[in-house]
Structure formats: C-alpha cells, structure tokens
Amino acid sequence: MSDPKYTYWLKSGIYSGLQKIAVLLFGIGSVLVLTRSLTKSDMGVWNLFLVYTGIIEIVRQSLIKNAVIKYINGHAAEEHPHIQSAALYLNILITGLIGILIAAFIIPVSKVLQAPPLAMVMYLFLPGLLLLIPFSHFEWVQNANADFRGIFWGYLSRQGTSFLLIVAHLVFTHNITLTHLILYFDAGLICGTIVSGYFARNFIAKKIKYHQEWFSRLWTFGRWVFGTNVSSSLFRNTDSFIISSFLGTPSVALYNVCLRISNLVDVPSQVLGDILFPKTAKMMEDGNLAMVKYYYERAVGTILAIAVPASLAIVLLPKLVIGIIAGQGYMEAVPILQVTIFYGLFLPFIKQFGTIMDSIGLPKLNFYVITVTAICNIFICMFYTRQMGLMGAAYGTMTSYGICFIITQTILHRKLKTSLLNVVKYMLQFYPEAFSVVQQRYLLKSKTR
C-alpha cells in the first residue's frame, strides 16, 4: 500500500503538474523558436505583452479563483450553483473593466516603456480577453472540485495550438511578426476554451442566476486576494518594467530569457500551490491549525527537494543552458541567470505563505506584507539599475526577495509555529519517501504482472 501522506499529493499532482510543465515547456519552446526569429527589440515587446497578459490573468483569478475554491469546499452542494453564478458575473464585470483600461491607457504606457508596438499587440489581444471569461470559469470550477484533468487538457490545447501555429508559420514563410504572434495567441485561447468546457460540463451549474449575497461575499474575500496578487505580480515584474523604461526592449529580451529558465525551477511551487489551497482551506474549516502548519512545511520542503538540485545544475552550467534555450546571441545573459536562479529559491517560501494566509482567513495580512515589499522593490530596483545597469535589476530583485522572505517567515512562526528546520527535514526526507512511493506504486506492480 502506498504512503498515505503522499496519496492526495500524487493523485492531484499528476494532472496539475503536467499542466504547469506543459505551459512552461511550450513557453520554453517559444523562446527557442522566437529568439532565433525575432529581433531583440521585438522579442522584448513580446515579453512585455506576456507580462501584461500574465498580470491580467492574475487580476481576474485573484478576485474570484481562491474565493470559489474556499467557499465550494466549505459549503453544502446546494450552495454551489449560487457561488458559480456569482463568480461568473464577477468574472464578466472585471474582464470588461480591464478591457476599457487597456483601450484607454496602453498607448501612453507603451511610450513610457519605450515599446510603441506594444499598443498594437494589446489592441489585437482584446478579443482574446473576452475568451478568457469562459476559459477561466471552467478552470476555476474544476479546480474547486479538485479535478485537474480538464485543466491540463485545456491548457495543453491552448498552448499547443499557439505553438504549433507559430512553428508551422515559420516552416512555410521563415519570417514572423508580432501581429502573427498575437493572432495565434488568440487562436490558442479558442481551442483551449472549447476543450476545457467539455471537461467542465459535469461541474458547471445548469442555471445561472445573479445572487447578490454570494456576489458580495466573493468580492469581500477576493478584494484582499486581488490586492495581494496584483502587488505580488508587480513585485515579480517590476524589474522588467524598469529595464524597459531605462534600458529599452532589447535588454528586456535578455533579462526575460533568464526569467523563463528560472520559471522551470518554480514549477513544483506552482503545482503544490494549487493542491495546497483546497487542502488547507478544508483543514481550517475543521479548526486544525497543526495540520495547516504540517502541510506548509511539507509542501515547501518537497518543492526545495526538487528546486535545489535543479538550481545548482543551472548555476554550474549557465552557458550551456543559455546556448540551448536562446542561442549564442544571448550569452550576455549568463551572469544574470546565475542571480535569478539563486533568488528563485526564496519563491517557495513566499508563495506558500500567501496560500496559507488566504486559506486560514488572513488575506488582509498577506496583502499588507506583499504590498509593502512590492513598493520597496520599485525603489530598490530603480536604484540598483541606475547604478549597475541590467545586472542591477537582478541584484535589486534578489535583495527585495530576501527582505520578503524574512518578514513572511517571522509571521508564519508567530501564527503557526512553523520551523525552517522542519522544512529542511522534509526536504531531506522527500528523496527516500518518494522513492518508496514510486517503488510500491509502480515497480512492485510491474513485477507482479
């Protein structure tokens, strides 16, 4: 019999992990292709577009996703249609407001960032923005029901379609523009929405009716998560905006290649964050803070068990990694990569801190911590970038993450009595325990056949 400590994580993590890995692999595949097909200036503009769309998705998700997961897991089934309806109406409202803001402000923003083509790309994205309404609704409902299979296939269809269209275009024409890229991006959203809707059909409420009480409850909970995630997203992307404003889009292209590679190491954190929230939310409903502490320490320990060896490999072989991913034209990014990989090890602690604070009903505290550190990060990155150029942005972000790490760990220790020693213990325990689980679930089964 497999280890019960890992049963939930394995069952939920397979599809969630595959989804995150698929998204990142298609992202890396796009970098492999586009760094060799676009100028650094256009590549920088495309990276800024991806930063903006990432922020947009985070804004929409933060207002709704965690609230839907928390309330569906904490209330009776007869309340679920009301929760879903409120989530859909809030989704439509927020997406409409985002579209208006893009139309009104993207031209002046693109001038500040020294990226005039960004305005055209964002305008062509507006139809895709509307497609995000059903796509995200299907995803959130499945996530709330801990069914990650449809989410995986939805994202695989979305990212895979866009990537295959880009590759096919280059095979037949050998040249691609930003206009082609955004059209293929929107085409991927269409396919992803259709596939995700098929898998979500059994979870979607049959009748959609506005419910003021649940609309207000989702907004009340979501506004703090919204503020937190916007601050967190700005925290993570401040360096890109400052680099674009001070140094131009070619420097953004160099820097974001490093971030793409660093994101590969962050996959376990993203996977376990999706799994951890509904689990800890349920523990909180039962009043079991000891188990919340346990899940945090074990989740971070598990993430580090995977992230630390991967990070060391990249730090020791940065030229090889950059050469494979982006080509010889991006070798200037090697020292930047060594810094971004290092500060990426702070992310599991900070990300799971946010997950825990939201699940135990303290989103306001999470908001204050992330917002204060995000504001500090703006000034720190500006100072370092002015003094040291492109490397300064990396050092500035590393400094800010270090400050945030100290603050979050202090709070967790006071609230839940968490211990860094326990995190290290679970990290070291992961290897023999994971091997035992794999051996029992797969190796022994294959021998008995």
Side-chain angles (χ1 to χ4, degrees):
M1 185 178 293
S2 62
D3 191 332
K5 290 183 290 185
Y6 283 101
T7 300
Y8 173 80
W9 309 99
L10 283 170
K11 184 178 178 181
S12 301
I14 290 173
Y15 279 111
S16 181
L18 287 173
Q19 178 244 313
K20 302 295 184 185
I21 292 170
V23 170
L24 279 171
L25 287 180
F26 281 124
I28 291 293
S30 296
V31 172
L32 281 166
V33 172
L34 296 179
T35 51
R36 293 163 171 83
S37 306
L38 296 175
T39 64
K40 282 189 178 128
S41 180
D42 279 352
M43 189 66 190
V45 171
W46 184 246
N47 284 325
L48 287 173
F49 164 74
L50 294 177
V51 167
Y52 272 110
T53 53
I55 293 174
I56 288 168
E57 293 205 48
I58 285 172
V59 166
R60 296 169 59 262
Q61 287 191 23
S62 58
L63 274 170
I64 309 164
K65 179 181 176 180
N66 282 2
V68 170
I69 294 172
K70 180 178 177 64
Y71 290 129
I72 283 183
N73 279 277
H75 290 79
E78 55 266 23
E79 293 289 339
H80 293 182
H82 300 314
I83 297 171
Q84 285 192 34
S85 297
L88 182 58
Y89 278 105
L90 191 56
N91 192 351
I92 293 169
L93 175 63
I94 296 304
T95 304
L97 290 174
I98 290 172
I100 293 170
L101 290 173
I102 290 173
F105 295 107
I106 192 57
I107 291 178
V109 168
S110 64
K111 290 179 180 178
V112 171
L113 295 175
Q114 301 184 56
L118 180 63
M120 176 272 297
V121 174
M122 291 300 293
Y123 282 130
L124 290 175
F125 167 65
L126 290 176
L129 180 64
L130 296 178
L131 286 168
L132 283 174
I133 295 173
F135 181 84
S136 57
H137 186 71
F138 298 148
E139 176 191 352
W140 301 336
V141 171
Q142 291 177 89
N143 209 322
N145 287 276
D147 190 320
F148 297 95
R149 184 180 56 158
I151 299 173
F152 162 68
W153 288 110
Y155 272 95
L156 184 67
S157 303
R158 173 181 169 179
Q159 302 293 330
T161 299
S162 297
F163 180 72
L164 290 175
L165 287 172
I166 291 170
V167 172
H169 184 105
L170 286 169
V171 167
F172 290 107
T173 68
H174 308 289
N175 183 43
I176 197 164
T177 66
L178 292 171
T179 302
H180 295 125
L181 290 178
I182 185 57
L183 292 177
Y184 297 150
F185 185 91
D186 290 345
L189 268 172
I190 294 173
C191 292
T193 301
I194 293 170
V195 172
S196 187
Y198 172 78
F199 283 96
R201 68 192 187 281
N202 293 327
F203 301 113
I204 297 296
K206 306 305 178 185
K207 293 183 179 179
I208 301 298
K209 185 178 180 181
Y210 180 73
H211 197 280
Q212 178 62 44
E213 180 186 351
W214 275 111
F215 185 90
S216 300
R217 292 182 70 175
L218 263 62
W219 167 253
T220 300
F221 179 88
R223 61 185 177 177
W224 293 110
V225 182
F226 162 75
T228 301
N229 286 353
V230 169
S231 296
S232 178
S233 185
L234 291 175
F235 193 170
R236 294 199 68 175
N237 295 297
T238 291
D239 42 11
S240 294
F241 295 138
I242 289 175
I243 289 167
S244 184
S245 300
F246 288 5
L247 306 175
T249 53
S251 295
V252 175
L254 286 169
Y255 193 81
N256 275 269
V257 163
C258 301
L259 295 184
R260 288 289 188 126
I261 296 168
S262 300
N263 284 342
L264 284 172
V265 180
D266 192 40
V267 171
S269 186
Q270 298 176 40
V271 172
L272 288 180
D274 284 346
I275 300 168
L276 186 63
F277 184 82
K279 194 72 172 178
T280 54
K282 183 66 176 175
M283 291 297 103
M284 187 58 190
E285 291 292 333
D286 298 335
N288 195 340
L289 283 177
M291 287 302 295
V292 174
K293 169 183 179 291
Y294 165 78
Y295 281 125
Y296 171 81
E297 293 171 342
R298 179 165 286 279
V300 175
T302 300
I303 294 165
L304 291 177
I306 301 169
V308 169
S311 298
L312 287 174
I314 293 172
V315 166
L316 294 173
L317 301 168
K319 290 184 179 180
L320 177 63
V321 175
I322 289 287
I324 293 171
I325 299 297
Q328 295 300 312
Y330 283 77
M331 281 299 164
E332 299 168 74
V334 165
I336 302 168
L337 176 61
Q338 291 177 304
V339 177
T340 59
I341 280 292
F342 177 77
Y343 71 62
L345 294 177
F346 288 126
L347 286 176
F349 295 94
I350 296 170
K351 280 190 171 185
Q352 304 313 321
F353 165 83
T355 301
I356 293 297
M357 290 298 104
D358 291 345
S359 66
I360 66 175
L362 293 175
K364 189 184 295 187
L365 177 60
N366 191 24
F367 167 74
Y368 288 139
V369 170
I370 299 301
T371 300
V372 169
T373 50
I375 292 171
C376 291
N377 185 46
I378 294 172
F379 296 103
I380 292 171
C381 275
M382 288 177 67
F383 173 78
Y384 275 84
T385 304
R386 284 184 184 276
Q387 297 298 317
M388 304 174 64
L390 197 53
M391 281 298 299
Y395 284 127
T397 304
M398 182 174 68
T399 302
S400 300
Y401 275 126
I403 294 170
C404 190
F405 168 79
I406 294 170
I407 295 171
T408 54
Q409 292 310 297
T410 301
I411 292 171
L412 280 169
H413 180 70
R414 291 180 178 178
K415 295 287 184 183
L416 299 175
K417 304 299 180 185
T418 57
S419 168
L420 288 177
L421 290 177
N422 285 340
V423 171
V424 174
K425 180 184 73 174
Y426 291 131
M427 180 183 77
L428 297 176
Q429 285 181 357
F430 171 80
Y431 302 109
E433 290 183 351
F435 177 77
S436 176
V437 171
V438 171
Q439 185 181 45
Q440 291 173 9
R441 290 179 64 89
Y442 301 106
L443 298 181
L444 293 180
K445 284 184 180 180
S446 63
K447 290 181 180 180
T448 58
R449 287 177 183 174

